[in-house]
């Protein structure tokens, strides 16, 4: 990660802005041919945005994962996301839907959340709660938690699992511990995340639970799981979420991996494969197939 110099994109606000156009091209976000060779892929449009659904070629399960990709609300889905979802679908027999939700700065949080809710209604709302899984990495983890909180507030059935992978749960980046975490993070940096969060929130108070769901009510949700590494500036979000849940008597299955960087669990090296196995167990546990 150090050698790729990826951290510069988030350490330098000018470089973050320069990255937006090439990292938001819809054509570059399509599932690659290698994915379509391994699983069945269908595409539809919801709110004029592409939504891809991946299904196994054999061994179907009734479980459906609604997955929100990371990218700080300003970058599009990456090949690593598609590879991770392909492995998850193949390992569990689940169906996985990945919406390419609206990105900042052309769109704000309200556009994104509106589209995310529409995708949920179209793809998952007719399923039993035990067959619904919300999952996301980084900003997508934040979206998964926002959606779970919204469903609870609306009185809708709660998805069985809410799985948060290196989640970005507080766009204010105001926790003092993050200054130290930033020094050890080879990928993300506070400056760029603050700017990305500002673009996404628009005029909304960045501490609002709609963009910083750590500040929302954590009770009454599905089974909560968090995966994070210790070389991630967002480690603070994960630890504070665990502490808040504990203070409210809400159990959280929490996995913290030493020396792992941001969103490592969607990669393919040994520690990532171990985490992927645990994530697959969450998808299939406790229900019919």
């Amino acid at each position: 990660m150090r050698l790729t110099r990826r951290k510069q994109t988030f350490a330098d606000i000018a470089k973050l802005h320069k990255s937006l156009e090439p990292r938001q091209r819809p054509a570059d976000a399509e599932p690659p041919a290698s994915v379509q060779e391994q699983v069945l892929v269908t595409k539809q449009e919801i709110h004029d945005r592409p939504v891809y659904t991946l299904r196994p070629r054999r061994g179907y399960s009734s479980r459906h994962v609604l997955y929100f990709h990371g990218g700080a609300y300003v970058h599009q889905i990456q090949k690593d996301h598609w590879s991770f979802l392909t492995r998850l679908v193949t390992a569990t027999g689940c169906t996985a839907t990945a919406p390419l939700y609206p990105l900042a700065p052309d769109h704000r949080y309200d556009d994104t959340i509106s589209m995310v809710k529409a995708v949920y209604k179209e793809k998952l709302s007719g399923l039993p709660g035990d067959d619904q899984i919300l999952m996301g990495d980084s900003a997508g983890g934040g979206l998964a938690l926002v959606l779970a909180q919204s469903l609870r507030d609306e009185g809708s059935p709660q998805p069985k699992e809410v799985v948060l992978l290196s989640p970005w749960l507080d766009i204010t980046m105001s926790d003092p511990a993050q200054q130290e975490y930033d020094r050890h993070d080879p990928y993300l940096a506070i400056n760029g995340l603050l700017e990305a969060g500002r673009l996404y929130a628009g005029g909304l108070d960045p501490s609002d639970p709609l963009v910083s769901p750590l500040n929302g009510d954590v009770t009454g949700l599905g089974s909560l799981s968090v995966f994070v590494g210790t070389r991630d500036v967002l480690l603070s979000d994960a630890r504070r979420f665990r502490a808040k849940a504990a203070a409210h008597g809400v159990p959280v299955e929490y996995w913290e991996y030493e020396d792992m960087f941001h969103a490592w669990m969607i990669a393919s090296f040994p520690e990532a494969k171990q985490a992927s196995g645990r994530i697959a167990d969450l998808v299939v546990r406790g229900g019919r197939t």
Side-chain angles (χ1 to χ4, degrees), residues 9-218:
T9 300
F10 286 95
D12 186 323
I13 292 177
K15 289 183 178 179
L16 176 72
H17 279 269
K18 189 176 180 180
S19 75
L20 300 187
E21 191 276 330
R23 294 287 298 276
Q24 293 192 5
R25 295 169 184 159
D28 293 342
E30 295 178 357
S34 59
V35 167
Q36 302 191 49
E37 291 169 359
Q38 298 176 69
V39 296
L40 301 173
V41 180
T42 57
K43 177 185 177 183
Q44 67 184 109
E45 289 201 352
I46 298 177
H47 281 209
D48 298 319
R49 300 289 302 182
V51 178
Y52 292 93
T53 297
L54 284 60
R55 295 181 174 87
R57 293 190 174 274
R58 60 186 66 85
Y60 279 85
S61 161
S62 59
R63 296 292 161 81
H64 198 139
V65 175
L66 181 53
Y67 190 89
F68 304 114
H69 69 83
Y73 301 113
V74 296
H75 289 160
Q76 196 53 274
I77 196 169
Q78 301 179 29
K79 289 182 180 179
D80 280 352
H81 291 108
W82 293 123
S83 297
F84 169 76
L85 290 175
T86 298
R87 293 193 299 272
L88 187 65
V89 167
T90 302
T92 66
C94 75
T95 297
T97 291
L100 305 194
Y101 53 82
L103 299 173
D106 291 340
H107 301 275
R108 300 291 189 267
Y109 74 95
D110 48 348
D111 294 328
T112 301
I113 294 173
S114 177
M115 190 265 183
V116 161
K117 287 183 176 180
V119 174
Y120 171 84
K121 182 177 181 180
E122 173 74 17
K123 306 298 286 188
L124 267 71
S125 65
L127 299 176
D130 282 350
D131 283 333
Q132 302 179 24
I133 295 99
L134 302 183
M135 187 182 301
D137 69 282
S138 194
L143 275 177
L145 186 55
V146 166
L147 178 57
Q149 292 170 335
S150 175
L151 292 172
R152 177 205 56 210
D153 294 346
E154 294 168 1
S156 299
Q158 191 65 202
K160 179 180 77 76
E161 306 283 346
V162 182
V163 184
L164 310 178
L165 312 177
S166 296
W168 191 19
L169 303 179
D170 180 3
I171 68 168
T172 69
M173 302 299 295
S174 57
D175 191 285
Q178 289 177 322
Q179 295 293 332
E180 178 65 21
Y181 300 153
D182 191 339
R183 285 192 280 273
H184 300 285
D185 188 323
Y187 187 5
L188 299 179
I190 292 173
N191 286 346
L193 288 173
L194 278 171
E195 177 66 1
R198 183 188 70 81
L199 295 173
Y200 178 65
L204 184 70
D205 182 342
S207 66
D208 191 290
L210 288 175
V211 290
S212 293
L214 180 63
N215 297 325
D217 183 0
V218 298

Side-chain angles (χ1 to χ4, degrees), residues 185-264:
D185 188 323
Y187 187 5
L188 299 179
I190 292 173
N191 286 346
L193 288 173
L194 278 171
E195 177 66 1
R198 183 188 70 81
L199 295 173
Y200 178 65
L204 184 70
D205 182 342
S207 66
D208 191 290
L210 288 175
V211 290
S212 293
L214 180 63
N215 297 325
D217 183 0
V218 298
T219 64
L221 306 176
S223 296
L224 298 167
S225 304
V226 177
F227 292 77
V228 70
T230 61
R231 293 172 67 86
D232 186 344
V233 70
L234 300 184
L235 176 61
S236 176
D237 284 11
R239 289 179 172 176
R240 287 188 295 145
F241 179 74
R242 177 180 59 173
K244 180 173 183 176
H248 288 82
V250 176
V252 174
E253 296 184 56
Y254 183 88
W255 287 279
E256 184 174 297
Y257 284 66
E258 192 70 24
D259 291 331
M260 289 297 101
F261 52 86
H262 183 68
W264 96 94

